[in-house]
Amino acid sequence: MKRFVLILGLCFFTIFTLLPIVLMIFLSFSEDMDFLLGGDLSLTFRNYRDILFSEEVSFGRYIINSLIVSGLSACLSLLLSLPSAYAFSRFASPFLSRFIFLFLLITMFPPISTVGFLFQVFSALGIINTYLSLIVTHTAWSLPLGVWVMYAYTEKIPKDIDRSALIDGAGLFRTMFYIILPLSKPALASAYILLFLYSFNEFLFAYMFTVDESTRTVPVGVALFEGLYGQIPWGYIMASASLSVLPVMIGVLFLQKYIIGGLTKGSVR
Amino acid sequence: MRMFYILNLPAFIIVSLVILLPILGTFAISLFRVVTFSEPSFVGISNYLRLFSDEAFINSVLFTMKFVFFSVSAEIFLGILLALIINEKIPLRGLFRGVVLLPWVIPSVVSGRVWEIMFNYSYGFLNFIAEIVAGLRINWLGTELGAFLSLVIADVWRTVPFVALIILAGLQSIPDEIYDQSKIDGAGPLSRFFFITLPMIDVFILTALIFRTVDALRVFDIVFVLTGGGPSGSTTPLTFYAYKYYLSGDFGYGSAVSVILFLLTLVVSLFLFRIVGMR
């Protein structure tokens, strides 16, 4: 009885999860939509070739933009969150340690509440439609997540290790970078993946602060496809959607442990 | 002590400049009449007064609440089920955990696109099935109820894995001995779930509830892709309503909507945090 219910649940979640993804990949390889109306299915690589290499669709450019923005903002965010995480794990009084919840609270704010002002400021500074505007916002919004994940890990590193380094006269920043940093490699990996994913998936800022293909990121490209043509180019949309999911899917299947580890250690006490 | 402040300075500065200051700034803008090509003029709270007589705004508030209620309830329910399944010793558990995690890590815009093709009237996969099974086609995205359900389903698909992960952490914190003891005492699987499992993971469920509620309150991406706020504005959450005014250049009014959303989020999250704190 229990086995039966379990198998039923397994089937339900597998189908529910995979059906849309399989359909997406299928459509990205099909010439047209005819087979969904009872026609024949013809497979092709044309959609991928077109979106990556043709003149009119600059999806290749979007991928490069996304990699630059996500790569840099995840780096910056990690770099900035490390001192905070270290401070919370070593120098916080019981009262101050509560403030880590404030970090968490901040990520819950609706980003739209900052867009009105940021857009005006960025326009005035002339950095609308630059990588800078996206890197700055993505770094700030992913920072609390970075602090949270790194704090959960650095707190577990025995405090005697860095205390003795400090006593030996290593200095605070050398202790942090030469002792704590190498020790927290696994946490750095999972934190980096999570921060990268946040920036790679982020849409609102990426959409509001970009104007043309020179800075648009992957999600913006995927969302705006139909504006370019009269008829909705499903093949292109699904090919670009599949491409944007590919690195993430590979990453998750291989690094599932890191991500689950990083999250369960981080978000739940 | 001083170290604490020095080390936190970099994070504090960037979070203040990019998140906290803009929230205050948005509040300031909401007190002005800002229209493209003219000088901003101070109008006090008149943008807020305008909100109360704006029927579309009221509808947007109602839609947001309805959306949060239905999607979050479904997510918590399915999330508990999924967590119970992936906590069992099933074959290929690692692979299955990886697979069910997928919807949560793919870009939300992409999940919107994928569900757009699922719900599409003529090509949609769901209508493909509906035609075979019942011989009819459902206008998912063109009717108010259909569009609402589409958004809820797409959002549930995307976020159930997240809820399941948090609850899984809770399930793993329950020591096995408790179950062994209750089995000896003759408790069935259902009573074990309701009287042992559920009370022991309530904090985890509440945590998932907080995260999901505040996140559903600011839903934007899937609405942008899937329904565009329609049909006839019936699926316009507050974020999307504010965005529409930003787009038309009316930053004052859009900011007022954003401020209301911010206050709503703040009140809801503080309220939920309090409940967790009482546990």
Side-chain angles (χ1 to χ4, degrees):
Chain A
M1 180 60 197
K2 189 191 166 191
R3 272 217 95 63
F4 177 72
V5 175
L6 201 62
I7 289 170
L8 206 70
L10 260 169
C11 289
F12 168 74
F13 279 108
T14 312
I15 294 174
F16 182 55
T17 305
L18 284 183
L19 192 68
I21 297 176
V22 170
L23 187 72
M24 169 185 78
I25 295 170
F26 219 54
L27 283 173
S28 73
F29 284 113
S30 64
E31 192 79 48
D32 48 40
M33 309 280 290
D34 276 356
F35 78 96
L36 281 175
L37 296 171
D40 290 333
L41 169 69
S42 49
L43 296 177
T44 171
F45 280 104
R46 194 180 54 97
N47 294 323
Y48 286 95
R49 207 188 55 215
D50 282 3
I51 61 166
L52 285 178
F53 304 114
S54 83
E55 289 286 302
E56 62 213 276
V57 191
S58 27
F59 199 73
R61 185 64 210 249
Y62 297 159
I63 294 177
I64 295 170
N65 292 340
S66 263
L67 291 179
I68 293 174
V69 169
S70 307
L72 283 179
S73 68
C75 260
L76 259 176
S77 176
L78 203 54
L79 208 66
L80 289 167
S81 63
L82 204 68
S84 281
Y86 187 56
F88 272 105
S89 68
R90 295 295 190 274
F91 302 105
S93 62
F95 171 73
L96 283 174
S97 65
R98 285 186 194 175
F99 278 78
I100 202 159
F101 278 100
L102 279 188
F103 267 118
L104 205 63
L105 190 68
I106 286 169
T107 52
M108 294 180 169
F109 292 161
I112 192 91
S113 304
T114 64
V115 163
F117 181 79
L118 280 178
F119 188 86
Q120 306 274 354
V121 172
F122 286 169
S123 304
L125 293 174
I127 59 167
I128 290 288
N129 208 28
T130 62
Y131 292 142
L132 186 64
S133 58
L134 292 186
I135 291 173
V136 166
T137 39
H138 287 180
T139 302
W141 280 91
S142 60
L143 195 57
L145 182 65
V147 174
W148 197 243
V149 175
M150 291 314 296
Y151 165 73
Y153 196 86
T154 45
E155 213 210 13
K156 291 213 180 78
I157 299 174
K159 296 180 175 55
D160 294 340
I161 293 181
D162 45 316
R163 196 169 297 148
S164 54
L166 281 173
I167 290 168
D168 289 348
L172 191 62
F173 287 90
R174 280 185 59 189
T175 312
M176 209 167 67
F177 281 105
Y178 291 104
I179 293 174
I180 300 297
L181 200 64
L183 279 175
S184 38
K185 263 184 200 147
L188 285 174
S190 67
Y192 190 82
I193 294 172
L194 287 172
L195 299 176
F196 185 93
L197 284 184
Y198 162 78
S199 171
F200 194 82
N201 296 353
E202 201 281 327
F203 175 66
L204 182 65
F205 294 128
Y207 172 64
M208 293 299 279
F209 298 154
T210 58
V211 179
D212 57 37
E213 66 271 13
S214 66
T215 49
R216 270 188 191 147
T217 58
V218 167
V220 184
V222 174
L224 292 184
F225 246 119
E226 61 199 323
L228 296 171
Y229 308 88
Q231 207 185 10
I232 301 178
W234 284 113
Y236 287 1
I237 295 174
M238 290 303 143
S240 62
S242 304
L243 273 184
S244 57
V245 168
L246 199 67
V248 177
M249 290 217 309
I250 295 170
V252 168
L253 288 178
F254 281 100
L255 302 169
Q256 180 243 117
K257 272 203 189 108
Y258 280 126
I259 297 184
I260 293 184
L263 252 182
T264 45
K265 264 184 237 125
S267 62
V268 182
R269 277 163 291 159
Chain B
M1 225 21 197
R2 219 186 56 206
M3 279 307 165
F4 179 82
Y5 294 108
I6 295 173
L7 286 169
N8 265 309
L9 210 58
F12 178 76
I13 290 174
I14 186 149
V15 167
S16 305
L17 283 181
V18 185
I19 302 178
L20 299 178
L21 180 73
I23 287 175
L24 291 176
T26 302
F27 178 69
I29 293 177
S30 75
L31 301 175
F32 284 83
R33 199 178 118 79
V34 186
V35 185
T36 332
F37 303 125
S38 66
E39 278 292 300
S41 56
F42 185 79
V43 291
I45 59 164
S46 78
N47 279 326
Y48 291 92
L49 294 176
R50 192 174 138 201
L51 285 175
F52 289 106
S53 53
D54 180 353
E55 205 183 323
F57 170 74
I58 308 282
N59 285 337
S60 172
V61 173
L62 292 177
F63 168 78
T64 309
M65 289 180 168
K66 218 168 64 173
F67 175 80
V68 170
F69 178 77
F70 283 101
S71 58
V72 174
S73 316
E75 283 152 17
I76 298 288
F77 176 73
L78 288 173
I80 293 176
L81 279 186
L82 183 57
L84 287 172
I85 291 172
I86 54 180
N87 194 36
E88 291 291 328
K89 286 184 186 64
I90 47 176
L92 298 173
R93 182 164 72 171
L95 181 71
F96 185 68
R97 280 185 183 176
V99 166
V100 293
L101 202 63
L102 285 176
W104 179 61
V105 284
I106 72 177
S108 48
V109 170
V110 170
S111 61
R113 279 302 199 189
V114 169
W115 281 97
E116 194 182 0
I117 193 74
M118 294 287 282
F119 290 125
N120 187 281
Y121 185 75
S122 32
Y123 299 117
F125 193 80
L126 292 179
N127 276 350
F128 181 71
I129 302 287
E131 185 134 55
I132 292 171
V133 175
L136 56 85
R137 284 177 176 274
I138 302 163
N139 193 351
W140 286 99
L141 297 173
T143 56
E144 286 192 14
L145 180 66
F148 178 75
L149 285 178
S150 305
L151 285 177
V152 170
I153 292 172
D155 197 59
V156 166
W157 182 76
R158 197 174 66 79
T159 52
V160 160
F162 171 74
V163 176
L165 278 186
I166 291 185
I167 291 171
L168 179 67
L171 291 175
Q172 288 173 343
S173 71
I174 305 175
D176 286 338
E177 295 84 52
I178 296 184
Y179 286 111
D180 298 340
Q181 186 56 45
S182 68
K183 267 184 200 157
I184 295 167
D185 294 344
L190 274 183
S191 58
R192 273 209 302 274
F193 175 74
F194 282 107
F195 295 111
I196 300 169
T197 312
L198 215 51
M200 292 201 75
I201 58 169
D202 58 352
V203 172
F204 292 86
I205 294 175
L206 279 169
T207 308
L209 185 75
I210 295 178
F211 277 104
R212 283 308 313 142
T213 305
V214 293
D215 201 44
L217 275 170
R218 59 187 177 185
V219 61
F220 182 82
D221 307 6
I222 56 166
V223 176
F224 184 93
V225 176
L226 209 49
T227 68
S232 59
S234 63
T235 58
T236 307
L238 283 170
T239 42
F240 205 74
Y241 196 66
Y243 153 78
K244 282 207 281 198
Y245 277 93
Y246 287 149
L247 207 63
S248 70
D250 193 345
F251 277 84
Y253 197 57
S255 296
V257 175
S258 304
V259 169
I260 297 289
L261 177 65
F262 172 73
L263 294 176
L264 192 68
T265 309
L266 199 63
V267 169
V268 168
S269 55
L270 288 178
F271 172 72
L272 290 172
F273 269 129
R274 259 219 101 98
I275 295 181
V276 175
M278 282 191 288
R279 296 274 155 165

